[in-house]
Amino acid sequence: MSQLIIETENLNFSYTKERKDIENLELKVPKGSIYGFLGPNGSGKSTTIRLILNLLKKQSGNVTLFGEIFNANTRIKSLSKVGALIENPSLYGHLNALENLKIAVNYRQNIASERIEEVLEIVKLTQAKEKKVKAYSLGMKQRLGLAISLLSNPELLILDEPTNGLDPKGIIEMRTLIKELNEKYGTTIFISSHLLNEIEKVCTHVGIIRDGKMLYQDTVKSLKQSKSKNMIVELEVDSVKKTIASLEKINKKNTVLEDSFLQLEVGSKEEITFLIDLLRSENVNVYQIFIKNNLEELFLSLTEN
Amino acid sequence: MIALKYYISSTKNELIKLKRTFAFWLTIISGLFIPLIYFLYYSLKYKSLIPVEGVNPWDKFMVEQIRAAAPLLVPFFIVLITSLIVQIEHKSLGIKHLFALPVPKWSIYFGKLTVVLLTIITAYILFLFFILIVGYSVGLMHEELNFFSFTPNFSESIKLLFRSFIATLGIVGLQFWLSFRMRNFIIPLGIGMILIVTGLIIYRSEESLYFPYGYNMLSLFPIDKDMENLLWFPRVSIYSLLYFSGFSILGYLDIKRKNIT
């Protein structure tokens, strides 16, 4: 395995005594990866990010960033290589985008002021740079937040729900940007999200969290393979009754979803052709048949009891 | 001196954040408030205010205004400006962002505190400036007030203003900590108001020397001999500075280890 940029060992944290919010979390984010941190709302994604950045005091365990244990002595050195966008971006509404960026440049030493125009260009806000942030839409604020985290050309970019509030076009642009940063500059990107398809489209690695516990952590590729033995397909037919009858003949279990939709499991793609032939021979009209995203199934089965 | 660099850039940023805020305007309004009332007072009632031959009209004019600010205006201004300045950060969810930056947390805390102090000093300077402008303006309107025959006694009024300023520091330390700690701006404001009123009620007692919210009154209306000799640093000023350092350090240590949610 290549070098790890973020590594947590035995991380524990609770807001209250009654409940553990993060339990023995072992996070491993390899260098150069796009790591999707996936989990339903309230599963501890933001809490984990805050623990990584030391905004919350962990009860036990270690956080290692760039191969060094994160503590008071390494804090400034490590953070100087990190750009973070934590939940709702921190922006001064009474100032414009330029002033907001200027403040961020002042805090981090050694950033050339030309960089401001560059990042504005990257997130496509050059036109709106003189406008007060108060008047920005949620998506624009999100993009400005991203611009601020990009100012220092970070080695590690931490994005907490980056597509929140973005429109479909904005989501696609964000996805392209993330891939580009990763490919061009080798930036390691850590994204948290509760949307599976978002993670699936862009990430190389995935970690799934529920109730503060890591349920699964590996590459997206092996996640897909782990479930590829069986596929779930959904089909639309004219008569559900006839279909069920035909399926019973070959002992195929199925679930009726709604009106004319059925769902069943098949072992391989060849089996789909076989099914169609079977149904057609019984005079069932098949209107559509499609393979369900099995990651989604996995995600749901992992995150729901 | 890397530490100094952090501190300066943090303070500079806090000044940028003040742009177009109410805190900025409040500083100017507070400096202008009493001189404006005195402008009306002196231009309407000038007949009863004509000084006796040979008396410097500036003495009464300046000392009265400085004293008028002590019981309520100054403490309320301190409580308000402190809350407002910290509120800029809370409103923009800024603290989590600032504490995830590669800068020491102390530079954030003390940079902001410095700007609070700078706005207070600015308000005091504006106050003195507006007093002079008003004095000369009414003097121009009513020559018999004799404002042009005498020069203002700066040494005494500056000493009074200085004592008043130093006396506010104890409150600044505590109010700043409270405001930084609590996202809800009403809580530090409410606590401040109650303690100011308490200070007004008890400032005549000996024990008020230990209660910082009464210090502004004590610094201008001394109740013991030690204070009557108009020193630059009476006892109350020393206590105020001690409170300020104590609260600032405690506040920082508290904020530093606080969970930022």
Side-chain angles (χ1 to χ4, degrees):
Chain A
M1 201 150 192
S2 58
Q3 193 201 333
L4 295 176
I5 293 287
I6 308 177
E7 189 180 10
T8 69
E9 290 166 304
N10 234 327
L11 200 59
N12 281 289
F13 178 80
S14 18
Y15 286 104
T16 53
K17 275 187 187 143
E18 297 80 49
R19 206 191 130 191
K20 276 199 161 182
D21 293 277
I22 297 294
E23 208 175 329
N24 296 328
L25 195 76
E26 310 252 338
L27 197 66
K28 290 183 186 350
V29 180
K31 191 180 164 96
S33 65
I34 304 180
Y35 186 102
F37 194 39
L38 198 59
N41 290 325
S43 54
K45 300 186 296 290
S46 288
T47 306
T48 307
I49 290 180
R50 282 160 197 266
L51 283 167
I52 293 173
L53 294 169
N54 201 27
L55 289 171
L56 295 175
K57 303 278 167 275
K58 54 186 187 283
Q59 264 109 29
S60 68
N62 276 322
V63 174
T64 308
L65 290 184
F66 309 100
E68 275 185 316
I69 296 222
F70 192 101
N71 56 32
N73 296 324
T74 57
R75 178 176 172 267
I76 291 181
K77 190 178 157 206
S78 296
L79 288 179
S80 66
K81 294 185 249 179
V82 179
L85 176 61
I86 315 159
E87 274 179 316
N88 306 308
S90 309
L91 301 167
Y92 303 102
H94 61 289
L95 302 176
N96 64 31
L98 277 179
E99 288 160 337
N100 269 285
L101 284 159
K102 183 89 185 96
I103 288 175
V105 167
N106 284 344
Y107 275 124
R108 293 169 175 273
Q109 325 277 335
N110 321 321
I111 296 178
S113 42
E114 296 90 75
R115 184 71 186 146
I116 290 181
E117 294 295 331
E118 273 173 47
V119 293
L120 279 170
E121 199 56 52
I122 293 174
V123 299
K124 301 201 168 61
L125 280 177
T126 311
Q127 296 289 320
K129 65 181 179 185
E130 314 254 8
K131 203 167 146 183
K132 276 193 210 169
V133 170
K134 227 185 332 201
Y136 272 24
S137 70
L138 191 54
M140 287 164 88
K141 285 184 186 162
Q142 202 76 16
R143 269 148 57 201
L144 181 57
L146 181 67
I148 288 173
S149 60
L150 290 177
L151 273 174
S152 59
N153 281 316
E155 283 178 44
L156 167 64
L157 193 58
I158 296 178
L159 304 174
D160 194 0
E161 308 266 357
T163 51
N164 248 358
L166 294 187
D167 54 20
K169 189 164 162 267
I171 293 178
I172 295 170
E173 281 170 4
M174 177 72 83
R175 212 182 284 148
T176 320
L177 180 64
I178 288 170
K179 280 189 177 161
E180 206 179 284
L181 285 170
N182 180 256
E183 280 160 20
K184 254 197 198 162
Y185 307 103
T187 313
T188 306
I189 301 170
F190 182 88
I191 309 173
S192 84
S193 177
H194 60 272
L195 300 171
L196 175 90
N197 57 2
E198 201 178 281
I199 296 284
E200 189 195 353
K201 279 181 188 130
V202 57
C203 294
T204 57
H205 291 70
V206 64
I208 299 177
I209 182 176
R210 192 193 64 199
D211 294 335
K213 280 177 251 176
M214 189 68 94
L215 300 176
Y216 182 93
Q217 178 169 239
D218 208 333
T219 58
V220 171
K221 218 188 234 166
S222 49
L223 176 66
K224 282 180 178 164
Q225 277 163 2
S226 74
K227 258 279 172 170
S228 64
K229 275 168 263 152
N230 283 317
M231 283 182 278
I232 308 280
V233 295
E234 228 174 277
L235 63 165
E236 186 186 1
V237 290
D238 61 344
S239 160
V240 173
K241 229 177 181 178
K242 273 201 268 177
T243 313
I244 293 174
S246 327
L247 289 175
E248 267 168 6
K249 282 184 205 160
I250 54 163
N251 271 330
K252 197 90 195 151
K253 268 199 252 165
N254 62 72
T255 357
V256 180
L257 293 173
E258 49 176 317
D259 302 340
S260 46
F261 281 93
L262 283 128
Q263 183 175 302
L264 48 109
E265 222 176 288
V266 295
S268 66
K269 282 187 176 166
E270 283 68 38
E271 212 183 319
I272 297 173
T273 326
F274 169 77
L275 265 174
I276 296 172
D277 288 342
L278 176 79
L279 292 176
R280 292 300 297 136
S281 67
E282 305 271 343
N283 275 328
V284 178
N285 284 327
V286 181
Y287 299 128
Q288 56 170 322
I289 182 159
F290 56 92
I291 302 169
K292 285 267 289 182
N293 186 338
N294 47 31
L295 273 183
E296 198 165 321
E297 293 301 313
L298 177 65
F299 178 55
L300 286 177
S301 66
L302 277 173
T303 55
E304 283 166 14
N305 284 313
Chain B
M1 278 311 275
I2 184 90
L4 193 66
K5 232 168 126 187
Y6 284 129
Y7 172 70
I8 289 173
S9 64
S10 170
T11 309
K12 211 164 87 187
N13 273 343
E14 294 303 331
L15 286 174
I16 301 179
K17 291 177 203 169
L18 274 188
K19 226 169 142 181
R20 294 192 283 266
T21 57
F22 180 59
F24 175 80
W25 291 108
L26 184 72
T27 309
I28 296 172
I29 294 167
S30 302
L32 187 62
F33 188 64
I34 288 175
L36 204 62
I37 293 174
Y38 266 71
F39 177 76
L40 295 173
Y41 177 35
Y42 267 68
S43 44
L44 296 174
K45 308 260 169 170
Y46 72 95
K47 276 185 192 148
S48 61
L49 295 165
I50 296 169
V52 183
E53 192 68 32
V55 170
N56 185 344
W58 286 103
D59 290 352
K60 173 176 141 67
F61 183 74
M62 294 176 95
V63 171
E64 262 185 16
Q65 292 191 57
I66 293 171
R67 291 201 158 159
L72 289 172
L73 184 78
V74 171
F76 276 179
F77 170 68
I78 302 296
V79 169
L80 265 174
I81 198 80
T82 314
S83 296
L84 280 172
I85 288 179
V86 184
Q87 193 61 28
I88 298 173
E89 212 61 65
H90 288 310
K91 218 168 84 190
S92 60
L93 309 168
I95 291 172
K96 64 172 198 254
H97 176 69
L98 296 181
F99 279 7
L101 284 175
V103 297
K105 290 180 183 175
W106 65 260
S107 71
I108 308 276
Y109 192 81
F110 290 102
K112 209 177 264 302
L113 184 55
T114 305
V115 167
V116 171
L117 294 179
L118 285 178
T119 54
I120 298 171
I121 294 171
T122 309
Y124 272 97
I125 294 173
L126 286 174
F127 184 32
L128 181 62
F129 176 70
F130 288 130
I131 288 176
L132 294 175
I133 291 194
V134 166
Y136 283 118
S137 314
V138 292
L140 210 60
M141 288 158 64
H142 306 289
E143 217 180 297
E144 56 275 42
L145 289 172
N146 271 348
F147 277 108
F148 281 93
S149 317
F150 292 90
T151 47
N153 180 358
F154 282 112
S155 69
E156 191 185 345
S157 43
I158 288 179
K159 196 185 273 179
L160 282 175
L161 287 172
F162 180 78
R163 281 168 61 125
S164 165
F165 168 69
I166 297 293
T168 62
L169 292 179
I171 323 183
V172 173
L174 181 58
Q175 288 294 136
F176 185 74
W177 176 10
L178 290 175
S179 306
F180 211 106
R181 197 168 213 297
M182 284 168 231
R183 212 174 293 177
N184 185 348
F185 137 88
I186 299 297
I187 301 172
L189 207 64
I191 294 176
M193 299 284 169
I194 292 169
L195 294 179
I196 289 169
V197 174
T198 314
L200 276 180
I201 298 170
I202 66 160
Y203 96 94
R204 282 263 141 218
S205 71
E206 257 174 65
E207 291 78 10
S208 69
L209 197 55
Y210 303 101
F211 187 65
Y213 287 78
Y215 284 3
N216 207 48
M217 284 300 277
L218 281 183
S219 72
L220 297 180
F221 300 93
I223 53 165
D224 65 2
K225 281 230 174 71
D226 173 39
M227 298 175 143
E228 267 160 31
N229 318 314
L230 267 199
L231 310 161
W232 280 90
F233 284 98
R235 250 199 312 162
V236 69
S237 300
I238 314 259
Y239 286 7
S240 182
L241 284 170
L242 287 176
Y243 270 120
F244 175 70
S245 335
F247 283 136
S248 303
I249 292 166
L250 282 177
Y252 167 64
L253 293 176
D254 173 52
I255 297 299
K256 188 182 142 190
R257 44 166 285 283
K258 191 176 172 266
N259 280 333
I260 309 293
T261 51

